[in-house]
Amino acid sequence: MRKFLTPCLLAAVLALTSCTQGAGSISDGQAAISAEQAGKMKWFDEAKLGIFIHWGIYAVDGVSESWSFHNGYISHEEYMAQAKRFTAQAYDPEEWADLIASSGARYTVITSKHHDGVALWDTKADDKSLVKMSPAARDVLTPFVNAIRSRGVKLGLYYSLIDWSHPDYPNIYRNGPARYDIAKEPERWQKFLDFNTAQLNELTQQYRPDLWWFDGDWEQSAETWKAKELTDKLRSDNPSCIINSRIQGYGDYGTPEIGVPVVRPAERYWELCYTINDSWGFQHKDVNFKTPQMVLRTLVDCISGGGNLLLDIGPREDGAIPEEEVAVLKELGRWTSKHAEAVYGTRAGIPDEHVKAYTSVNASGDILYIYLPYKPIGPVEVKGLIDNIKKIRVVGSTVEPQWKVYNKLSWSEVPGLVEIQVPQEALDSAITVLAIETDGPVQLYRGAGQVITMNE
Ligand code: GLC
């Protein structure tokens, strides 16, 4: 008998939270995270689901948030005039918070101010707010923050660094003439930075967000934004605050947008921000809604890769949340509460050579979760699992499916095939989850098989 113990096998002992999948091997491609950073990121890392909210004057005519004037589809004047028809008359922050909390989301991120510069709170830094510009005539942010906090959901504030409507921001249109050149008028730029700082101070003092979600950093460099100074200040004001990556290199986690990552992002912490249809804000014409099951599949895709899903909703100008979006959040709630153990606190799963499905592992590494977004017509097959299996169960039910190991040769290192028969009646209506409990942290055989030189 020839011994065939690949180094990959050892490497695969499940510290798989930090594994990247390469050509047949697993390697730790991520930089070490300090204990302090890991402690700060813990709630975010365990949360898995957040709800993003884009609400602003753009919902009135259903044009794209800020970009519609920046790209010249409508004039700035026409765009800003929407404010006069922004009513918030059906706005019920308690209802929003109930819907978000019951979806299973552990955090929310709301647009306190988009690139158009219109604030949702009563800013004193300038006159561009729903309080001063719209018939809603009130601060709509504070009651939402209170409602969300009272339900134990963490608060994230989206804040656009760019303010294309501000007289001291250097540009307004993508292709239009610049207002001025920062290099030639540094004092004017500093005035703009002071304005941002004043607003961020207001937000810190009034809401002390758990998470800052910046946007628009791409228009200036880290030096021009004074990104280090800014993030140092936010962190000294609140050492436990988490900052997204859109601050020219000074953030805590990666933020891929809409495009679901195909390979796992390199960052230890990441979050996919994602639309339910094709728009961030409410747009009457956009009916390209994903189904609740498709959104759930994207959630387990993120969970499999060790990341979070930040799913966006775009309320109408009156504050009503479109029914298609409500339906998605309700289905998320049904599924996440039934499968809570396979959602919160899980870690990235195993390479899909082992099982053709999404996977994750629990925090101690001795439960492998397999997510099946389809009805299997035969047994589910798991390859290369070294550990002994203690139990296999269907999460959210009392069912323990039958399973059997095939091809396990006692003298070979290569594990057998685990074949799991999932009974029809145990299938979830959207995504079924299997839990494989092993006798220790999941270990994987990563070799290419072997020639058996001696048989019985
Ligand atoms: C983009 C867009 C913006 C949207 C955001 C959400 O960067 O500028 O309109 O708010 O992404 O991720």
Side-chain angles (χ1 to χ4, degrees), residues 46-105:
E46 293 176 346
K48 302 300 164 196
L49 178 64
I51 301 295
F52 210 175
I53 306 171
H54 275 69
W55 198 32
I57 61 171
Y58 38 87
V60 172
D61 290 336
V63 293
S64 66
E65 67 291 340
S66 312
W67 294 95
S68 46
F69 71 84
H70 181 73
N71 288 335
Y73 306 137
I74 61 174
S75 69
H76 184 247
E77 239 183 343
E78 203 183 328
Y79 179 94
M80 295 306 266
Q82 293 177 95
K84 298 201 183 72
R85 288 172 288 129
F86 185 96
T87 64
Q89 82 197 354
Y91 175 45
D92 184 346
E94 300 292 330
E95 200 178 85
W96 281 24
D98 276 342
L99 181 67
I100 291 169
S102 66
S103 75

Side-chain angles (χ1 to χ4, degrees), residues 296-309:
L296 273 173
R297 207 185 45 204
T298 301
L299 172 64
V300 301
D301 198 349
C302 293
I303 290 174
S304 270
N308 292 356
L309 174 67

Side-chain angles (χ1 to χ4, degrees), residues 52 54 65 67 114-115 158 213 215 218 246 257 273 280:
F52 210 175
H54 275 69
E65 67 291 340
W67 294 95
H114 206 263
H115 316 322
Y158 169 109
W213 213 100
D215 200 14
W218 59 82
R246 298 189 186 175
E257 178 170 329
C273 55
W280 294 108

